[in-house]
Amino acid sequence: MARILVVDDDPAIRQLLTDVLEMDGYEVSIAVDGLAAVREVQAAAPDFVILDVMMPGLDGFGVLSTIRDQPGEPVPVLMLTAAAESDANARAWACGVDYYLAKPFTADAVLDLVDGVLAGQVGAADS
């Protein structure tokens, strides 16, 4: 079972994503801020990270930088951010994000992306 880390300071978004991902069979862990996300990435080695940009303490860009500094195969990262953050999209790509969705997003869009990415990884590993 693939492990997904959901990082967002908004409890409603964390709950929505957790519910949808768990219903699809994923093991979900959560972090409420950037520092907790860094600890969770180092401790649990998730297969996929869903990451908010604006959070207290360490923002999503700082978390992404830490994730990208980890040894081994890079974990796929989806950044979620408010559409009003005009420079966030360009900065996210420059920092090495794999996928980017603006808020508001649909849970189905996130689930389809996660399913597609992780199915591709499994297929590549089986070849």
Side-chain angles (χ1 to χ4, degrees):
M1 173 185 325
R3 292 178 314 275
I4 313 294
L5 173 60
V6 174
V7 185
D8 203 302
D9 59 332
D10 183 330
I13 291 175
R14 285 194 313 267
Q15 190 62 57
L16 169 69
L17 291 173
T18 298
D19 290 348
V20 168
L21 292 164
E22 286 180 344
M23 284 178 28
D24 204 49
Y26 293 106
E27 178 183 324
V28 179
S29 56
I30 60 169
V32 299
D33 61 39
L35 295 175
V38 168
R39 288 191 299 271
E40 189 67 25
V41 165
Q42 293 168 342
D47 298 302
F48 196 100
V49 176
I50 301 173
L51 178 62
D52 187 22
V53 172
M54 295 186 64
M55 295 179 290
L58 187 64
D59 69 9
F61 298 112
V63 174
L64 179 59
S65 176
T66 301
I67 290 171
R68 291 297 173 242
D69 288 342
Q70 298 290 312
E73 190 69 27
V75 61
V77 176
L78 163 63
M79 281 189 119
L80 302 174
T81 188
E85 300 165 27
S86 59
D87 67 331
N89 187 325
R91 187 173 173 201
W93 293 118
C95 290
V97 76
D98 299 291
Y99 309 96
Y100 182 92
L101 281 177
K103 293 177 183 177
F105 58 87
T106 66
D108 285 341
V110 173
L111 187 58
D112 288 347
L113 179 65
V114 171
D115 283 346
V117 170
L118 293 178
Q121 285 182 345
V122 170
D126 291 341
S127 326

